[in-house]
Every structure is written in structure tokens, then in C-alpha cells.
């Protein structure tokens, strides 16, 4: 550890919109021991995360780029590393890692890469998947250390890359912010959701990964049996219009409330009863952990990191991916069986309190930073 000043860490993320990785960065920079570390954040787009960093008083930069391995921004990144006298470069996600990879090497700074889920998946065309496997192998071999947010992510790396090594550090949640016992603004009243309705929450980026179309078809099946129930959809993404049009086509728009992204996530979660995440793949979903911390019953698909968190019937329900019938059945089950719903809610909160707090996560990351610098010195 350097004795002359704090350790300056550049935290880099692909975008300024707030999703799982961005929430992780905000929590990490907030919880870092400021007596030892000084965080600086780099994003490749503007957005609500930048506003939040301004409110937190965290130094931050935006270098516009929408592409991986974007040569046009590398010299700017290199200049930033040198001008800010960065000690450690920490990239979150493959897009950020690809645009920090060479600038960090040219600046002589150690690069850490947190893998928030791999960029390759089994449902991709063969050539696209192989190209992404190759690029991830290049990135992970060129870092000083890799962090996997789940054991399944680490195991996938071991399967695909010879000699792959990473440290598993699970995502952590700020339990002061996500406190179910604090009274917050009544979002149900604001959105005119009937007080007696069960509210199902789909709070996520509306992209193929989160399978919004299965969510809508499942809710259609729910409404064929139950009427006192509302689906609250909060988020934005490239499938947003398709999701809205599908709800209209199925004739269920009267029971679905669509909202764009909004930063008051604890308030949104307090307004719902059941949280659904029908993802096709995940790293270790922060939105799921936030919902569980807010003492919500959760239904998730049995994929990657989600099934590491949720034990079926114990602290939530697991359903197969791309199966609207089983997703609908799980929603109806929790809608009807209030005792089960309350039991899962309590167990969900206990899971996060015991295993997924932000302080525990941050202390592990700080230990890794110290180890990387000791190795360098």
C-alpha cells in the first residue's frame, strides 16, 4: 500500500444508465473506505448514474463511445489514467474492459475486470458466440485479476478458457437504502393502482436478456384466472415498444402499468408484492437482491446466478426459462397463497442480510486491490 496518498481507483462502466452493473459501481464507490481509497468513475455514456455521482461528490468522467474495442477513445482513456494519477483500473463488464485493456497496459497500471455475466450465450449464432468467447479470453488473460460475481460465472470461464482464474465476490446490497421497514412514498397511489390488488413487479432493462415477451404472455394467462392483480413494468430498452404492443395485442393493457426508468427503486419495490425476473441468463442479478432485501416474494428463472441466490420453495420460486405457463402458475400460486408469499418474503430478506450486504462485498474488493498493489510493488 502506498503511504504518500490514497489509492486512486478508476471504476469504468459502459453506460450512465442505471442497471445492475451501474448500481454495483454506485454501491462500491459509496462503500469504499475513503481513508484509504479515492474512487474516480468513467462512463462511456451520460445518464442518471452520472447525476447520482454528482450528488455523491464522486469525481467522474464521460468519454462517449458505444462500441467495444473502440480505438477512437483509447488515447482519451490513457490520458485520463495519467492525468488523474490512477493506481488501479477496475473495469465492470466486457464493454468497459475492452476499452480499458490497452490504455491500462500503455499506462503501466494494473487492470481488474469484474465479470457481470459473460457477453457470450448459448442462444447466439455460432460465429457470434465464438468471436465473443475469443474476446473474453483475450480480456481475462490480460488482466491482473478477474472478479466473478457468481460461482456459475467462474465455472463458465473455467469451461471456456484454459487456465482461467478469478475471485468470486458476490454482489452486495446497501441495506440502509433498501430497508423494508422505512416508510416511503406511496407509488401505488401515484400510479392509481387499486389498493386491494396484488402487484407483480417487472423492474429491469427491457431487453432480450430479461425476456419481456414471456412476462407479458404469462401475465395474460394469470388474468384468465385472476382479476385483482396488476403488472407494474418499470424500465427501458430495445424491446420496450414490442413489450407494450404485445400487451395491447393480448388485450391486457388495462392491468399493466408501464413506467420509464426511475431512480426511486426502493419506493417501487415497496409498492409491489411479487418480483419477477424471467431472464434467459444472469451474472448475479442486483435487481433480484434489491427486491429480496425489500422483503418481496420473488419468482426467477433457473439460470446462472439467479439459482445461486434462490432455493425453490425456501426463499423464492424457480421456474424454467421461456415458459410462460409455469411463470403464470407461480404468480397465481403466490397471489392466492398469502401465507406462502409472506414466508418467502421473510426468507428472502434474511438471505440478503446474511450473505449479500455491500459492506462485505466492498471489504473483499479492497483486499484484492491491496493484493494487486503489493504484487506490483
Amino acid at each position: 500500500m502506498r503511504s504518500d496518498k490514497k489509492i486512486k481507483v478508476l471504476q469504468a462502466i459502459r453506460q450512465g444508465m442505471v442497471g445492475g452493473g451501474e448500481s454495483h459501481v454506485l454501491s462500491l464507490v459509496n462503500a469504499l473506505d475513503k481513508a484509504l481509497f479515492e474512487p474516480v468513475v468513467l462512463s462511456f455514456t451520460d445518464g442518471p448514474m452520472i447525476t447520482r455521482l454528482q450528488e455523491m461528490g464522486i469525481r467522474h468522467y464521460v468519454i462517449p463511445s458505444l462500441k467495444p474495442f473502440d480505438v477512437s477513445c483509447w488515447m482519451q482513456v490513457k490520458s485520463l489514467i495519467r492525468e488523474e494519477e490512477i493506481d488501479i483500473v477496475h473495469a465492470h463488464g466486457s464493454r468497459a474492459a475492452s476499452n480499458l485493456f490497452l490504455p491500462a497496459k500503455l499506462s503501466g497500471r494494473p487492470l481488474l475486470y469484474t465479470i457481470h455475466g459473460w457477453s457470450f450465450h448459448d442462444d447466439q449464432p455460432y460465429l457470434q458466440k465464438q468471436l465473443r468467447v475469443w474476446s473474453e479470453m483475450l480480456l481475462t488473460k490480460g488482466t491482473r485479476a478477474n472478479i466473478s460475481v457468481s460461482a456459475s460465472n467462474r465455472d463458465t470461464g473455467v469451461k471456456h478458457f484454459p487456465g482461467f482464474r478469478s475471485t468470486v465476490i458476490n454482489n452486495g446490497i446497501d441495506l440502509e437504502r433498501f430497508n423494508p421497514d422505512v416508510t416511503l412514498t406511496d407509488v401505488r397511489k401515484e400510479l392509481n393502482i387499486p389498493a386491494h390488488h396484488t402487484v407483480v413487479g417487472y423492474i429491469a432493462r427491457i431487453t432480450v436478456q430479461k425476456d419481456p415477451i414471456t412476462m407479458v404472455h404469462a401475465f395474460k394467462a394469470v388474468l384468465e384466472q385472476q382479476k385483482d392483480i396488476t403488472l407494474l413494468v418499470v424500465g427501458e430498452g430495445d424491446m420496450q415498444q414490442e413489450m407494450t404492443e404485445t400487451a395491447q395485442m393480448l388485450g391486457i393493457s388495462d392491468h399493466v402499468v408501464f413506467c420509464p426508468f426511475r431512480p426511486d427503486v426502493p419506493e417501487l419495490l415497496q409498492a409491489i408484492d411479487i418480483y419477477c425476473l424471467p431472464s434467459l441468463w444472469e451474472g448475479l442479478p442486483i435487481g433480484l437482491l434489491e427486491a429480496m432485501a425489500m422483503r418481496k416474494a420473488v419468482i426467477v428463472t433457473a439460470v446462472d446466478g439467479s439459482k445461486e441466490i434462490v432455493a425453490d420453495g425456501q426463499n423464492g420460486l424457480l421456474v424454467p426459462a421461456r415458459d410462460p405457463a409455469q411463470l403464470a402458475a407461480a404468480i397465481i400460486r403466490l397471489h392466492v397463497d398469502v401465507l406462502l408469499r409472506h414466508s418467502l418474503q421473510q426468507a428472502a430478506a434474511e438471505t440478503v442480510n446474511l450473505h449479500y450486504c455491500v459492506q462485505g462485498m466492498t471489504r473483499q474488493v479492497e483486499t484484492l486491490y491491496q493484493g494487486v498493489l503489493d504484487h506490483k510493488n
Side-chain angles (χ1 to χ4, degrees), residues 178-249:
F178 292 91
N179 182 350
D181 297 317
V182 173
T183 301
L184 302 169
T185 303
D186 189 347
V187 171
R188 286 194 187 211
K189 185 176 181 180
E190 173 195 337
L191 298 176
N192 296 315
I193 298 173
H196 68 284
H197 273 209
T198 297
V199 179
V200 178
Y202 175 94
I203 304 170
R205 288 179 296 112
I206 306 178
T207 63
V208 64
Q209 178 191 359
K210 309 298 183 180
D211 199 5
I213 306 307
T214 288
M215 182 73 250
V216 173
H217 281 280
F219 200 67
K220 163 68 172 176
V222 170
L223 290 174
E224 290 172 355
Q225 299 183 44
Q226 307 292 330
K227 298 303 180 187
D228 53 339
I229 189 165
T230 295
L231 174 62
L232 174 59
V233 177
V234 182
E236 300 171 7
D238 54 16
M239 293 186 71
Q240 186 175 350
Q241 182 175 349
E242 183 180 354
M243 188 182 194
T244 304
E245 291 175 350
T246 301
Q248 292 171 345
M249 180 189 68

Side-chain angles (χ1 to χ4, degrees), residues 24-51:
H24 172 92
V25 170
L26 288 171
S27 295
L28 178 60
V29 299
N30 186 54
L32 279 172
D33 183 349
K34 302 305 190 300
L36 296 174
F37 300 94
E38 181 181 348
V40 178
V41 177
L42 167 63
S43 172
F44 291 97
T45 73
D46 203 345
M49 183 189 73
I50 303 303
T51 304

Side-chain angles (χ1 to χ4, degrees), residues 304-323:
D304 300 335
S306 295
K307 64 184 180 183
E308 288 187 27
I309 302 169
V310 176
D312 187 41
Q314 297 180 37
N315 60 355
L317 298 181
L318 291 173
V319 297
R322 291 194 178 97
D323 194 329

Side-chain angles (χ1 to χ4, degrees), residues 113-115 145-156 158 164-171 283-284 308 356 360-361 364-365 368:
Y113 173 24
T114 290
I115 303 148
N146 299 302
I147 299 173
S148 297
V149 297
S150 65
S152 61
N153 268 15
R154 177 201 58 201
D155 295 344
T156 298
V158 170
F164 172 75
R165 290 187 179 183
S166 74
T167 301
V168 176
I169 302 178
N170 293 146
N171 290 326
L284 196 83
E308 288 187 27
Y356 300 102
M361 175 197 79
Q364 292 179 74
V365 173
L368 193 58

Side-chain angles (χ1 to χ4, degrees), residues 122-146:
D122 290 339
D123 60 342
Q124 293 169 335
Y126 177 78
L127 289 178
Q128 180 186 18
K129 179 183 176 183
Q130 291 307 307
L131 180 62
R132 293 193 178 188
V133 168
W134 178 84
S135 67
E136 292 279 20
M137 181 168 63
L138 173 69
L139 293 174
T140 55
K141 284 185 177 294
T143 61
R144 186 64 55 83
N146 299 302

